[in-house]
Amino acid sequence: VIVIVSLWPLRRVAERVIGRDPHIVRMRLLVETPEALSDVVAIITRNGGSVSHLATTVRKGNRLVAEVEVRARDLASGAALTAAVADVAGIEIAESSSQDE
């Protein structure tokens, strides 16, 4: 009982210090240049999101395909992040999905 009671406040402190964004947005992006991908990461960070996963593969014609997983506060901020990414020059969103944890 003492262990359980003592760990409960620790979880609250960890959530506050580390932060926890419960909304996940996954995007598959078609990227013209690596610079455009760095612009995407900057826009996500600037708009309050955090990139939790990023993987790239090269397609024919030297075009990159990027799999990006972003954590956001809620559905509205996730939708705003997706719209901001769609506005980046050299980026095309091939697919996107979102879910709450």
Side-chain angles (χ1 to χ4, degrees):
V1 172
I2 293 172
V3 171
I4 293 172
V5 170
S6 65
L7 289 179
W8 176 79
L10 182 61
R11 180 180 62 94
R12 305 278 280 171
V13 169
E15 285 179 0
R16 180 159 282 202
V17 171
I18 297 170
R20 183 166 178 214
D21 294 327
H23 192 74
I24 299 171
V25 178
R26 291 184 181 92
M27 293 180 267
R28 178 173 292 134
L29 308 174
L30 303 176
V31 183
E32 294 294 328
T33 64
E35 292 80 17
L37 188 56
S38 67
D39 291 343
V40 166
V41 173
I43 285 175
I44 289 169
T45 304
R46 198 174 318 132
N47 286 299
S50 61
V51 177
S52 59
H53 177 77
L54 175 65
T56 59
T57 55
V58 178
R59 256 183 150 175
K60 291 181 181 178
N62 292 333
R63 199 171 191 191
L64 289 174
V65 176
E67 301 283 337
V68 182
E69 183 176 285
V70 178
R71 291 197 166 267
R73 289 183 306 275
D74 53 23
L75 179 62
S77 61
L81 286 170
T82 303
V85 168
D87 289 339
V88 175
I91 296 292
E92 179 183 337
I93 297 179
E95 181 181 337
S96 71
S97 65
S98 66
Q99 70 182 37
D100 284 329
E101 235 181 8

